[in-house]
Amino acid sequence: MRTQVLIVGAGPSGLLLGQLLHRAGVDTVIVERQSGAHVLSRIRAGVLEQGTVDLMDEAGVGARAHAEGLVHDGVELAVDGVRHRIDLRALTGGKTVLVYGQTEVTRDLMQARAAAGSTTLYEATDVRIEGFETEAPRAHCTVGGEPVEIAADFIAGCDGFHGICRASVPREALRVYEQVYPFSWLGLLSDTPPVSPELIYSRHARGFSLCSMRSPTRSRYYLQVPLTERVEDWSDQRFWDELRRRLDPEAAASLVTGPSLEKSVAPLRSFVAEPMRFGRLFLAGDAAHIVPPTGAKGLNLAASDVRYLSQALIEHYRERSAAGLDHYSARCLARVWKAERFSWWLTRLMHNFDQEPAFQAKLQSAELDYLLGSESAQRVLAENYVGLPT
Ligand code: APR
Ligand code: PHB
């Protein structure tokens, strides 16, 4: 089999890249380790920057996000039981975010890819890539028991943090930057109305919590828990009781509880691998970088990588110019590091770090106090939350 761009991974990065290239007449094949149903069963964040929505429109997959997504003009920060609203729209000269789940973004992209008739090899095992340092990169995998070889002009590594693309690069060619955090997030999804019309990020002596949503009838909540916590030890009742304890009195009183549709624990990590290009292999999204979920930058960063990569590849095919491909890594990383900084900062600001010296806790309180009293500081938060320009 031969294609122009071989994409490894059918998460949002791989699917969005495939769709943008398809619209420009560039042929792609995607190989994905899991089934389509499995990809759709993963619950991830749900806040889209305007730039991400614009890119979905360019890919022709934005209609349902516009119809069903919820435009949010602000977010709330709750500190020890008192809520403060950050007016995103007023602080950024009119910018907002769109609450629309990553699962739905993925569903829309999968449907568009099926309608386009592009090839996706799901449940591909033993995926290997080679020759990306030459003019003739290739991938091998097994699909339905049969060996498959795919030759391509380029390989896009969109296979997430645990994928094989980054792992195929010689160790000495990569520089890795990493920060782990001493806690996880326990998430719960339920068909209950959100506790409040906007998201609430709460700092509390018992630990951070986040009240988010997917729609007017579906809520997503998170609790900061120790790294050792197992999801089996959290009944729905225990989750709701703990969440209620961490909320401000008004939110606690109006919280509607119900059976969970999904519960999962995820550790928090900051990670960047540099560079994002090796010969004819380009990494995009979680394959190259991870942010802690505070601030919901993961999917938005993946989308901005894909914007740069699709433009660069289209430029290569249309104009025979390598300029975009040559600048890909540096352009992405400039934006990646700003989002890394913001996600790290918001994580540090809102969580409990009770193992750290008391000095750190005092600084954290002072920073919160400053933020809540300073419009300039709130503007910095708002500008980053709605997304920095590409
Ligand atoms: N071969 C083929 N596919 C693979 C392999 C492999 N060896 N390893 C992983 N994959 C697939 C995974 O099954 C997954 O479907 O690659 C896909 C990667 O998807 P994501 O992990 O969702 O990564 P990405 O598309 O970059 O999306 C970034 O997802 O994790 C969130 O916070 C992140 O929101 C951000 C977004
Ligand atoms: C979510 O809705 O899952 C979500 C929202 C905002 C975040 C993280 C996760 O910062």
Side-chain angles (χ1 to χ4, degrees):
M1 192 184 292
R2 205 199 131 73
T3 186
Q4 289 177 296
V5 181
L6 171 78
I7 301 174
V8 184
S13 301
L15 289 168
L16 186 57
L17 179 65
Q19 209 49 31
L20 289 162
L21 292 179
H22 167 73
R23 305 267 288 192
V26 177
D27 183 60
T28 61
V29 168
I30 302 187
V31 290
E32 163 61 51
R33 187 170 54 175
Q34 305 287 355
S35 67
H38 183 276
V39 171
L40 281 179
S41 71
R42 296 190 291 232
I43 310 294
R44 300 260 174 85
V47 178
L48 306 184
E49 297 171 358
Q50 186 59 50
T52 302
V53 180
D54 293 345
L55 198 62
M56 289 171 65
D57 286 335
E58 279 173 42
V61 297
R64 201 161 65 93
H66 288 289
E68 297 176 18
L70 309 171
V71 175
H72 280 208
D73 291 348
V75 290
E76 299 208 86
L77 300 185
V79 181
D80 301 330
V82 183
R83 265 198 263 173
H84 310 262
R85 181 164 189 269
I86 307 291
D87 190 335
L88 297 174
R89 191 190 279 277
L91 289 163
T92 60
K95 295 194 181 141
T96 58
V97 292
L98 190 71
V99 172
Y100 187 68
Q102 178 171 322
T103 313
E104 302 312 313
V105 174
T106 309
R107 195 188 310 278
D108 295 343
L109 284 163
M110 278 170 82
Q111 275 172 10
R113 188 165 178 87
S118 307
T119 306
T120 312
L121 305 175
Y122 282 105
E123 298 182 78
T125 54
D126 306 321
V127 180
R128 281 170 295 128
I129 59 170
E130 60 187 34
F132 49 83
E133 63 293 335
T134 72
E135 301 277 291
R138 287 172 307 283
H140 299 269
C141 60
T142 306
V143 181
E146 297 294 320
V148 179
E149 181 178 330
I150 308 156
D153 299 333
F154 299 100
I155 299 178
C158 301
D159 50 347
F161 184 64
H162 300 288
I164 50 110
C165 289
R166 192 183 69 249
S168 304
V169 173
R171 214 171 265 273
E172 62 279 7
L174 262 187
R175 176 113 199 240
V176 165
Y177 303 84
E178 189 165 22
Q179 168 96 52
V180 293
Y181 300 85
F183 41 74
S184 301
W185 276 20
L186 170 67
L188 179 148
L189 186 72
S190 62
D191 272 333
T192 54
V195 68
S196 179
E198 294 180 338
L199 272 59
I200 310 175
Y201 293 82
S202 300
R203 186 190 122 118
H204 190 274
R206 296 184 67 90
F208 169 81
S209 66
L210 170 60
C211 303
S212 182
M213 66 193 71
R214 292 289 174 273
S215 76
T217 56
R218 182 167 287 188
S219 299
R220 180 72 168 160
Y221 296 104
Y222 296 96
L223 297 173
Q224 174 186 354
V225 295
L227 274 176
T228 47
E229 218 66 12
R230 297 178 325 153
V231 72
E232 302 78 62
D233 296 330
W234 285 82
S235 65
D236 290 356
Q237 190 61 48
R238 182 176 173 207
F239 185 99
W240 292 120
D241 289 345
E242 183 60 30
L243 177 64
R244 206 180 281 104
R245 282 192 199 109
R246 298 186 190 186
L247 296 179
D248 61 276
E250 189 196 334
S254 53
L255 180 69
V256 179
T257 65
S260 62
L261 302 171
E262 190 260 8
K263 267 197 305 257
S264 51
V265 186
L268 275 67
R269 184 194 297 271
S270 298
F271 173 92
V272 182
E274 294 189 358
M276 290 171 61
R277 178 214 182 152
F278 311 87
R280 291 184 164 242
L281 169 66
F282 296 83
L283 302 178
D286 278 19
H289 42 72
I290 296 283
V291 288
T294 333
K297 289 294 165 217
L299 174 60
N300 293 296
L301 266 191
S304 61
D305 291 352
V306 165
R307 174 190 293 279
Y308 294 137
L309 185 54
S310 61
Q311 286 171 351
L313 289 167
I314 292 166
E315 198 177 287
H316 164 86
Y317 284 111
R318 288 206 180 136
E319 300 163 26
R320 292 277 137 204
S321 161
L325 295 173
D326 289 343
H327 291 130
Y328 172 71
S329 180
R331 283 174 89 189
C332 288
L333 287 166
R335 195 165 194 277
V336 164
W337 275 111
K338 293 187 187 91
E340 290 284 346
R341 186 210 68 81
F342 175 67
S343 307
W344 167 86
W345 172 80
L346 194 58
T347 302
R348 297 267 347 162
L349 187 72
M350 298 305 291
H351 289 74
N352 265 7
F353 288 81
D354 26 12
Q355 313 303 330
E356 290 192 351
F359 185 75
Q360 296 295 338
K362 284 288 185 188
L363 290 182
Q364 188 186 22
S365 298
E367 179 148 22
L368 264 170
D369 201 32
Y370 173 64
L371 173 71
L372 299 175
S374 161
E375 192 181 300
S376 316
Q378 289 175 26
R379 182 167 290 114
V380 174
L381 191 167
E383 270 177 12
N384 282 275
Y385 196 88
V386 301
L388 297 175
T390 39

